């Protein structure tokens, strides 16, 4: 089986056909979770999976599982997959590559008439992006017991449509319970979404784990006042205080190197009038680090420094811990299977930590898990110009194929 390779042209054509569903004028994709476009993408995947003899099962949160049976029905399956939903201005490869790489593995095995000991499943996880319904990774989160089904069903989008209403409307609420599938191993192939592999001229990222994340919502309250008559030293300017806090966030990210990332991605200033001193500012913070102790250190530094800034400026401060998951190491035996797959084809490879959240992070709580990264052009993702080279995508899929074959042995 060492000479077995996937059909790179078929993989590319499948990616391009899926990219037409929700295609944007700039060459990207807008296929938000639980919309009609999401339904169309799901329908196409189900059609393709059934055409190679797979059954397709859907659970109560909308996760899909295309299953190719193995010789031993008594053994836990090997699973791979990712997601089909995108950002509003997303690209053609984020998430969908992992799903269609899994499908290409199934097609390759069918073409070669290879029967594995264990069944192989390809998963499509619901609402990984978290752009329509927040937080992210809802489908895999319910599956892994991180979120309760009722909690997720009640989440609403900006128009007041609940997750449950949207899921039911597109007809993708299944009867199967979310979770509990016997899984021997889980692999996820993904574009890196960063610049490291391309810069290092590596084709395969052997992902050893994922960074921990802490998200915060911060509210700073001062006093609105007229921009003209109010002396500078008598002001309680919430925006100036928030700006100092944002600068502190950036400084913390630089101080906790290597690997730390610190980002303020959303900000609202009120009353947002050009001649009124801002009285209230709301902003978000995203902290990431692969070492939980260092991530906790970032957390302590944030709260101490923001409190000091607020006290010195006469401002009120609320920092809400919005979301947290710890750093996630992946299963050494599966990481080694990825390493061996890269070596089999002499692909240039390196170990790497995932800087983004993926469904694999939650799957690692319930099954041995590993990831395979391939480069994306200029490291750009969550953008309509997101791009990846066909040869790199094929290489990642070849590694996935042989990692799955190794794990699918009795």
């Amino acid at each position: 089986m060492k000479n077995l390779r996937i059909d790179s042209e078929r993989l590319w054509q499948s990616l391009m056909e899926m990219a037409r569903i929700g295609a944007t004028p700039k060459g990207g994709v807008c296929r938000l979770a639980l919309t009609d476009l999401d339904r169309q993408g799901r329908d196409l995947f189900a059609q393709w999976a059934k055409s190679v003899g797979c059954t397709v099962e859907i659970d109560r949160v909308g996760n899909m599982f295309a299953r190719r049976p193995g010789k031993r029905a008594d053994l836990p399956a090997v699973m791979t997959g990712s997601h089909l939903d995108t950002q509003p201005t997303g690209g053609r490869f984020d998430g969908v590559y992992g799903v269609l790489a899994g499908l290409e593995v199934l097609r390759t095995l069918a073409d070669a008439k290879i029967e594995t000991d264990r069944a192989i499943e390809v998963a499509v996880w619901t609402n990984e992006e978290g752009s329509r319904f927040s937080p992210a990774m809802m489908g895999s989160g319910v599956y892994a017991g991180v979120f309760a089904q009722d909690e997720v069903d009640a989440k609403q989008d900006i128009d007041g449509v609940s997750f449950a209403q949207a899921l039911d409307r597109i007809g993708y609420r299944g009867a199967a319970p979310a979770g509990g599938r016997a899984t021997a191993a889980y692999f996820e192939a993904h574009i890196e979404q960063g610049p490291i592999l391309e810069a290092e001229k590596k084709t395969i990222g052997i992902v050893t784990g994922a960074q921990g994340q802490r998200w915060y919502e911060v509210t700073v309250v001062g006093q609105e006042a007229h921009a003209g008559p109010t002396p500078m030293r008598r002001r309680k300017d919430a925006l100036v205080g928030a700006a100092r806090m944002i600068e502190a966030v950036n400084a913390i990210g630089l101080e906790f190197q290597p690997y730390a990332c610190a980002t303020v991605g959303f900000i609202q200033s009120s009353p947002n009038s050009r001649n009124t001193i801002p009285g209230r500012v709301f902003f978000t913070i995203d902290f990431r680090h692969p070492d939980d102790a260092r991530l906790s250190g970032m957390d302590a530094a944030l709260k101490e420094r923001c409190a000091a800034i607020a006290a010195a400026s006469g401002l009120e401060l609320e920092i809400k811990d919005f979301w947290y998951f710890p750093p996630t190491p992946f299963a050494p035996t599966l990481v080694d299977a990825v390493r061996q797959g890269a070596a089999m084809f002499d692909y240039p490879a390196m170990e790497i930590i995932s800087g983004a959240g993926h469904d694999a992070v939650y799957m690692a709580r319930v099954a041995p898990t590993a990831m395979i990264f391939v480069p994306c052009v200029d490291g750009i993702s969550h953008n309509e110009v997101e791009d990846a080279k066909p040869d790199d995508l094929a290489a990642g899929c070849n590694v996935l194929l042989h990692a799955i074959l190794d794990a699918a042995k009795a």
Side-chain angles (χ1 to χ4, degrees), residues 329-341:
F330 291 146
T333 54
L334 301 193
V335 172
D336 195 52
V338 173
R339 185 179 293 108
Q340 291 177 24

Side-chain angles (χ1 to χ4, degrees), residues 347-369:
Y347 294 138
M350 64 178 287
E351 291 191 358
I352 192 169
I353 293 287
S354 173
H358 297 287
D359 294 304
V361 172
Y362 284 153
M363 279 302 294
R365 300 188 180 200
V366 295
T369 294

Side-chain angles (χ1 to χ4, degrees), residues 313-331:
S313 306
L315 302 171
E316 298 176 19
L317 171 69
E318 179 187 24
I319 300 179
K320 179 181 177 182
D321 295 286
F322 181 74
W323 189 39
Y324 164 71
F325 64 78
T328 304
F330 291 146

Side-chain angles (χ1 to χ4, degrees), residues 3-16:
N3 295 325
L4 188 65
R5 292 174 181 260
I6 61 98
D7 184 332
S8 58
E9 179 64 23
R10 181 171 58 192
L11 173 62
W12 181 259
Q13 290 303 321
S14 296
L15 286 162
M16 294 305 99

Side-chain angles (χ1 to χ4, degrees), residues 206 333 335-346 399 402 406:
I206 304 163
T333 54
V335 172
D336 195 52
V338 173
R339 185 179 293 108
Q340 291 177 24
M344 179 183 298
F345 294 98
D346 292 323
V399 173
H402 285 275
D406 182 69

